[in-house]
Amino acid sequence: MMREFQCRPVVRACMVSLGWALPAVTAWAADAPTPVESELPAVVITGNPLRSQNLAQPAQVLTGNGLLLRRAATLGETLDGLPGVTASWFGPNSNRPAIRGLDGDRVRVLDNAGASVDASNLSFDHAVALDPLVVERVEVLRGPASLLYGGNATGGVVNTLDNRIPSDTLAGLSGRAELRAGGAAREKAGSLVLEGGSGETSGSFNWHVDAFGRETDDLRVPRFTPVADGVSAEPTTRVRNSAAQAQGGALGVSWTDEHGYLGAALDSYRNDYGVTVEPDVLIRMERERLTLAGERRLGGGGFFTQINGRASHTRYQHQEVEGTGEVGTTFRSSGQELRLEAQHAERAGWRGVWGVQAERLDFEALGTEAFVPGTLTRNLGLFALEQTRWGDADISLGLRAERVSVRSEGDAPSAEEARFGSADERRFTPVSASLGGVWPLGGAWSGSATLGLTQRAPAYYELYANGLHVATGAYERGNAELAVERGRHVDVGVQWQQAGGLFKANAYVMRFANYIALEASGRDIAVEDEASGGTTKVPEYVFHAVPAQLWGLELEGRQRFDALGWRWEASSTFDLSRGENRRTGEALPRLAPWRLGVSLSAQRDGWRGSLGVRHAGRQTQVPSGDVATPSYTLWNASVALDQRWTWGQQALDATWFLKLDNLSNTLAYNATALRTARELSPLPGRAATVGLRVTF
């Protein structure tokens, strides 16, 4: 079904132009020295408005060649394998990041530090409305970031940055283009980014434009036996209904001077993709967003030294189209966000940032499979983060208070079946606080610790769901009596770093007094079966507040050395997460097993190559209703060549790359995936991806 779709004319023209232009440019290839990426540590922006070099909270930054070789069709797959980070893997198209065993409404996905309005937290088969193709940088905060981003950042934050509103003065014309093809889904993808400006420090007009397109076929995997509704099908090497097509673009402008910037951007995203658990259902997703952003650095010795602001309006819709072409269910969201931050000058040894954040989400679901009523969620948060030096230690202290209201519209007057009752509204006042520190331990060692108290208001679906959720194969009921989810968090880490070497270790414990969990009630509910025209029974699951605990360990290290005329780097990662319902003693659902990754890379004269292996242990820590996931070992390799080209007076930096994934074609299943999808969609099989990136 997906193969019949054609790219929209603008994206097709973009990809055709790139396909003609980039090979032609190779005529100007020269053996000029290859640019070397800086080895200076990147300063994390997310959750770090004061630009501190030392963060108590574990963070990861992907950019440059590191992001180029990890880039995948979805954000979750791009980040999978980072310490503590996994993907929900509802097939190759619906992949949301999960951090430290938490997913859904407990992990905040941001777009340029603003809310990414979509329905991906509502259901596993709903994709994140972001494509990694034009993303320049991804930052991941592991552990609670509720202080700056709200209660639904309890597990962590993933922030994508793309410079669609230029914040720095641009001079002349610059940009980048990328083409890639291959992979287990036979991907064909391309992107083009152009930027420019007048370059005047006294005042510069800057602009940004980008476009991208991506097409994939059904995912190819090692031979396996699909299981749907408990029934085994014929063995196959393809994941059914997993093809996709996505395209989008953006236009942004800004005015910059020596005191800051002010700008706006308009972006559009489309994604048509199949749902693996339903063989003939296609999701048509659309998102448009208008964003305003600015920064002003203040002089004159006043109390505040800098003010930052961002506002956005987003319209989101996706339709679930049946095999007959009829629209079964339509999900619509309209979201607005306003965020203001003000940094103050140092007073009595303290410097900090104060802020306010307001959000509004108007959601509705229309159709036969709508299991949530129309809702309106409002959130107003006030926060403050202060930092100081105490001896040799960097100390941070923060507080956030929110006012959240969630209103259900109840059943529509024309509804044939009364499921959601009358209109209802709940109000919550979550409060979060944190205390963190980083201090030297002697030599190249340093230590860090974070203590946190987080509170999260229940999401609209946790309160008001009432219906069959096809993606989970269960009848889900919300609980309008739920209270604020409360958690306490401890994170302790040590780090050793010197020239060419790095070692990090973090251990954490998260203890929830009332963790909102979806649990089986033990009852079956009769629902209509469209295929037979009769009824069928499905298990009932209800949202409850239970005591829960999660703990884990994350290790990462690397060492650089020179040998045989090459620059080498050996690196490794290890993570382990455990969680349990303290009331029943059962494991929490969809936890990743212990994972170990080891790689060796080398570079010389523009050439770079790597060989890595990732092992995931057998996951036996599962709740009732789930089954153990076998262990697996995946081998991967890559080769890249950096070149400097010249075209008249213009210098172009080119990177050719080849990625080889799952070299042994091992059959592997993702333990963090919902069982409904896991048994229909293993991880990708052996595949090769080739590509070219050109920057100028």
Side-chain angles (χ1 to χ4, degrees):
M1 183 176 181
M2 294 296 300
R3 299 188 193 93
E4 298 175 358
F5 293 157
Q6 301 296 322
C7 281
R8 288 176 169 82
V10 173
V11 177
R12 177 70 74 184
C14 170
M15 296 179 67
V16 169
S17 299
L18 289 174
W20 171 85
L22 294 183
V25 175
T26 60
W28 296 294
D31 294 329
T34 301
V36 178
E37 288 189 88
S38 171
E39 296 185 3
L40 294 175
V43 176
V44 179
I45 298 172
T46 307
N48 185 26
L50 299 176
R51 303 296 193 269
S52 300
Q53 291 287 343
N54 298 318
L55 282 180
Q57 187 171 9
Q60 200 91 16
V61 177
L62 288 178
T63 188
N65 287 329
L67 178 58
L68 175 70
L69 294 176
R70 292 191 66 98
R71 204 188 312 270
T74 63
L75 186 60
E77 191 176 359
T78 299
L79 303 179
D80 188 25
L82 295 179
V85 183
T86 57
S88 57
W89 194 254
F90 201 86
N93 301 318
S94 306
N95 262 312
R96 204 175 196 272
I99 302 177
R100 293 183 168 182
L102 299 175
D103 57 13
D105 203 51
R106 298 183 181 93
V107 172
R108 192 77 191 263
V109 177
L110 301 177
D111 189 344
N112 294 287
S116 175
V117 175
D118 55 36
S120 62
N121 64 338
L122 170 64
S123 179
F124 295 97
D125 60 331
H126 299 171
V128 177
L130 289 169
D131 194 292
L133 267 175
V134 293
V135 170
E136 295 183 356
R137 179 183 173 108
V138 182
E139 298 183 345
V140 181
L141 291 184
R142 306 195 300 271
S146 306
L147 176 64
L148 293 181
Y149 300 107
N152 52 353
T154 302
V157 168
V158 175
N159 187 19
T160 61
L161 303 165
D162 51 33
N163 201 42
R164 283 175 165 170
I165 301 179
S167 57
D168 296 320
T169 298
L170 302 177
L173 176 66
S174 63
R176 70 182 188 276
E178 183 177 330
L179 289 173
R180 56 175 59 218
R186 294 189 176 178
E187 176 187 44
K188 299 178 288 294
S191 64
L192 176 64
V193 177
L194 297 174
E195 296 179 330
S198 59
E200 299 175 7
T201 57
S202 59
S204 173
F205 174 77
N206 314 284
W207 57 271
H208 169 108
V209 61
D210 66 61
F212 66 89
R214 184 196 306 274
E215 290 183 358
T216 60
D217 292 338
D218 285 342
L219 184 70
R220 285 161 175 77
V221 297
R223 183 170 292 275
F224 79 111
T225 302
V227 178
D229 300 325
V231 179
S232 299
E234 291 294 323
T236 182
T237 58
R238 294 193 180 190
V239 174
R240 69 181 190 184
N241 197 28
S242 59
Q245 175 192 298
Q247 56 273 315
L251 173 64
V253 295
S254 70
W255 177 265
T256 59
D257 58 24
E258 63 271 22
H259 299 295
Y261 76 96
L262 178 64
L266 179 64
D267 67 80
S268 177
Y269 177 70
R270 302 287 188 274
N271 191 2
D272 298 334
Y273 63 93
V275 181
T276 58
V277 298
E278 300 176 88
D280 59 353
V281 172
L282 167 73
I283 288 183
R284 292 177 178 165
M285 176 194 294
E286 301 178 1
R287 191 193 75 167
E288 284 84 28
R289 184 180 56 176
L290 174 64
T291 305
L292 306 176
E295 174 183 293
R296 197 68 178 171
R297 294 180 288 274
L298 307 175
F303 182 76
F304 289 111
T305 60
Q306 181 174 309
I307 297 176
N308 299 72
R310 177 173 293 268
S312 65
H313 174 75
T314 306
R315 293 189 304 176
Y316 169 90
Q317 174 179 289
H318 89 238
Q319 296 179 323
E320 299 185 355
V321 184
E322 308 291 342
T324 60
E326 297 180 357
V327 176
T329 308
T330 298
F331 294 88
R332 295 194 187 114
S333 295
S334 176
Q336 295 84 38
E337 179 188 31
L338 173 64
R339 183 182 181 89
L340 297 173
E341 294 180 357
Q343 296 183 25
H344 69 75
E346 186 171 321
R347 292 290 188 272
W350 290 86
R351 63 191 185 101
V353 57
W354 301 349
V356 58
Q357 182 177 10
E359 295 182 63
R360 173 189 170 106
L361 177 64
D362 195 347
F363 170 85
E364 64 176 341
L366 309 171
T368 57
E369 296 179 3
F371 65 100
V372 180
T375 58
L376 175 62
T377 303
R378 295 188 182 94
N379 187 323
L380 178 63
L382 301 175
F383 58 88
L385 175 66
E386 296 289 329
Q387 294 183 350
T388 189
R389 293 280 294 180
W390 185 27
D392 293 331
D394 293 317
I395 304 298
S396 63
L397 177 66
L399 180 68
R400 180 184 179 105
E402 297 178 85
R403 183 62 172 171
V404 181
S405 66
V406 185
R407 175 177 174 80
S408 166
E409 301 299 333
D411 290 308
S414 59
E416 298 179 0
E417 178 186 4
R419 280 193 290 139
F420 304 120
S422 57
D424 183 47
E425 184 173 7
R426 293 291 314 279
R427 297 179 182 271
F428 307 92
T429 309
V431 176
S432 298
S434 69
L435 172 64
V438 181
W439 59 91
L441 296 176
W445 289 90
S446 63
S448 64
T450 302
L451 305 176
L453 168 68
T454 64
Q455 295 187 350
R456 178 181 73 91
Y460 59 93
Y461 55 88
E462 294 170 329
L463 293 168
Y464 298 117
N466 188 13
L468 174 64
H469 189 177
V470 176
T472 62
Y475 194 99
E476 297 184 7
R477 291 192 191 275
N479 183 352
E481 303 303 317
L482 289 172
V484 167
E485 181 179 82
R486 303 187 306 277
R488 292 171 291 169
H489 311 263
V490 178
D491 191 303
V492 180
V494 294
Q495 176 175 306
W496 172 87
Q497 184 173 10
Q498 64 180 21
L502 174 70
F503 172 75
K504 293 181 180 180
N506 282 88
Y508 62 89
V509 177
M510 297 183 280
R511 193 174 181 90
F512 293 89
N514 55 337
Y515 182 89
I516 299 176
L518 186 61
E519 293 189 318
S521 68
R523 297 194 306 163
D524 290 332
I525 304 295
V527 297
E528 293 184 5
D529 186 345
E530 296 182 2
S532 65
T535 61
T536 186
K537 290 187 176 181
V538 297
E540 180 188 53
Y541 280 71
V542 181
F543 285 99
H544 288 299
V546 302
Q549 178 171 291
L550 293 99
W551 63 270
L553 177 66
E554 299 160 354
L555 307 174
E556 56 181 311
R558 66 172 182 263
Q559 181 65 53
R560 294 192 178 104
F561 57 95
D562 295 324
L564 304 175
W566 290 73
R567 168 64 60 89
W568 299 81
E569 180 175 289
S571 61
S572 62
T573 61
F574 173 84
D575 59 19
L576 168 71
S577 60
R578 291 287 185 266
E580 68 171 4
N581 180 331
R582 293 189 291 116
R583 187 180 65 190
T584 64
E586 283 195 346
L588 294 177
R590 302 180 305 282
L591 294 176
W594 67 267
R595 303 182 302 172
L596 173 66
V598 179
S599 68
L600 180 65
S601 61
Q603 61 178 352
R604 174 182 175 180
D605 298 332
W607 286 94
R608 290 178 287 114
S610 68
L611 177 65
V613 59
R614 185 175 64 172
H615 179 80
R618 177 178 171 84
Q619 180 55 289
T620 59
Q621 306 292 317
V622 296
S624 59
D626 204 347
V627 295
T629 306
S631 63
Y632 62 82
T633 301
L634 303 179
W635 290 86
N636 306 289
S638 68
V639 178
L641 172 62
D642 296 326
Q643 292 181 317
R644 170 68 58 85
W645 299 344
T646 56
W647 181 12
Q649 299 299 315
Q650 180 69 56
L652 300 94
D653 295 321
T655 299
W656 303 85
F657 62 90
L658 168 65
K659 291 174 53 182
L660 303 173
D661 297 315
N662 195 359
L663 292 171
S664 59
N665 202 36
T666 298
L667 179 62
Y669 293 91
N670 190 342
T672 59
L674 194 70
R675 184 181 177 185
T676 310
R678 186 194 313 149
E679 296 177 339
L680 290 170
S681 180
L683 296 179
R686 182 190 296 119
T689 302
V690 296
L692 169 64
R693 181 189 64 183
V694 177
T695 61
F696 58 92

